[in-house]
Amino acid sequence: MRCRVCRERAAIEVRRHNAAFCSEHFIAHCREQVARAIRKHWMFRPDAHVLVAVSGGKDSLMLWDVLADLGYNTTGVYLGLGIGAYSDESREACDRFAQGRDLDLRIVDLGSEYGYDIPTGAAAARRATCATCGLSKRYILNDVALRGGFDVLATGHNLDDEAAVLFGNLVHWNVEALARQKPVLPAAAGFVSKVKPLIRLAERETAAYAVMRGIDYIVEECPMVAGNTGLRYKETLNEMERTSPGTKHQLYFGFLEHGAPRFEPREGEDPPDVHPCTRCGAPTTSDVCAFCRLREQATDPERVAVALTRGPKRRRG
Ligand code: FES
Ligand code: ZN
Ligand code: ZN
């Protein structure tokens, strides 16, 4: 196998593009794919101040690396979820990465700043761990971006992530989620714009990029997600991709082109009645927003005491 660009020996094959690359040209290819996603989906302007959500894993650190390399003004944000050694190691990986490249990293700690951690908080609230985690991340990262005056919040969701979520949303015909499944969610009152610049790269490619660039990321996945449904959708799509390269790309980009417009709110449809949360002021359709309700349950001393006596319980997301 030879590199498509320089004809030197290839380091990686990308079957869905019917191409192979040496390390140097693979790195350039990844940067180009990110730049293309940003341009094509109007993610942000060249002078935008981008807040990059980093977890210490390959995708988010790779994203930060590429954006900084493309010359964007970036700041990283790491949210400590209190998931034992996994959280300690992921925070250290983000710290090392930021220090090594002289980039600005903000650290938010769920336990000390919001009063709960994910394992205990989810058990106290009697909710699925990943759902508790997802809601906490969405709320807090949006809040950090708004307070910090950032133009956009970028996350490291790659093609595999998006295709798997789409697959799940289609299996369950989760119409509301399908309407939101876009590479860009524009800013609205109380919400910063959110973008996913890695949608053109598969997980295997983000991992290869991270290795080739010498990014010291944490390899273990979060221990809470093992066995969750999202992972099973990923495995199914991987199996299909193996025999039909390009399946994930077709599913996801085909949906963006042909499916997504059909889930847009119809003309004349009343927009939901959104008003400020009576506790935190964030936009919500109820009196108290979903995050404030979660936080109340997750920090309730009686619920926490019961959760602690039962011990941590993994709830599937
Ligand atoms: Fe959210 Fe593991 S990272 S539950
Ligand atoms: Zn080459
Ligand atoms: Zn609230």
Side-chain angles (χ1 to χ4, degrees), residues 108-244:
V108 181
D109 186 64
L110 194 56
S112 55
E113 295 179 45
Y114 292 87
Y116 67 98
D117 59 48
I118 292 298
T120 317
R126 291 176 204 124
R127 299 182 191 218
T129 321
C130 289
T132 304
C133 176
L135 173 57
S136 308
K137 277 182 188 162
R138 277 194 301 280
Y139 180 94
I140 295 168
L141 296 177
N142 183 65
D143 193 55
V144 172
L146 284 179
R147 285 174 199 269
F150 290 90
D151 297 297
V152 64
L153 172 68
T155 54
H157 296 93
N158 59 38
L159 176 60
D160 294 41
D161 299 324
E162 291 304 287
V165 170
L166 172 59
F167 190 29
N169 285 337
L170 288 171
V171 168
H172 299 288
W173 286 106
N174 190 345
V175 175
E176 270 179 35
L178 286 167
R180 284 195 311 270
Q181 190 160 9
K182 299 174 184 163
V184 180
L185 286 177
F191 296 106
V192 71
S193 171
K194 296 179 187 79
V195 297
K196 298 171 181 169
L198 297 189
I199 48 166
R200 300 188 61 84
L201 292 168
E203 198 152 297
R204 168 179 174 270
E205 293 146 30
T206 60
Y209 176 99
V211 171
M212 288 177 195
R213 288 280 293 158
I215 297 175
D216 186 10
Y217 63 91
I218 48 156
V219 179
E220 314 75 53
E221 296 283 338
C222 165
M224 300 281 158
V225 304
N228 86 356
T229 333
L231 283 187
R232 295 207 303 278
Y233 291 137
K234 267 192 181 176
E235 281 160 18
T236 305
L237 289 174
N238 280 341
E239 186 52 32
M240 293 168 78
E241 185 79 22
R242 201 175 54 75
T243 46
S244 312

Side-chain angles (χ1 to χ4, degrees), residues 139 277-282 288-293:
Y139 180 94
C277 165
T278 50
R279 299 213 183 134
C280 72
V288 177
C289 77
F291 177 73
C292 286
R293 276 181 276 143

Side-chain angles (χ1 to χ4, degrees), residues 1-11 18-22 25:
M1 259 188 328
R2 302 261 149 207
C3 169
R4 173 199 259 187
V5 184
C6 68
R7 311 306 305 162
E8 289 293 319
R9 202 189 162 91
N18 209 6
F21 299 94
C22 69
H25 290 119

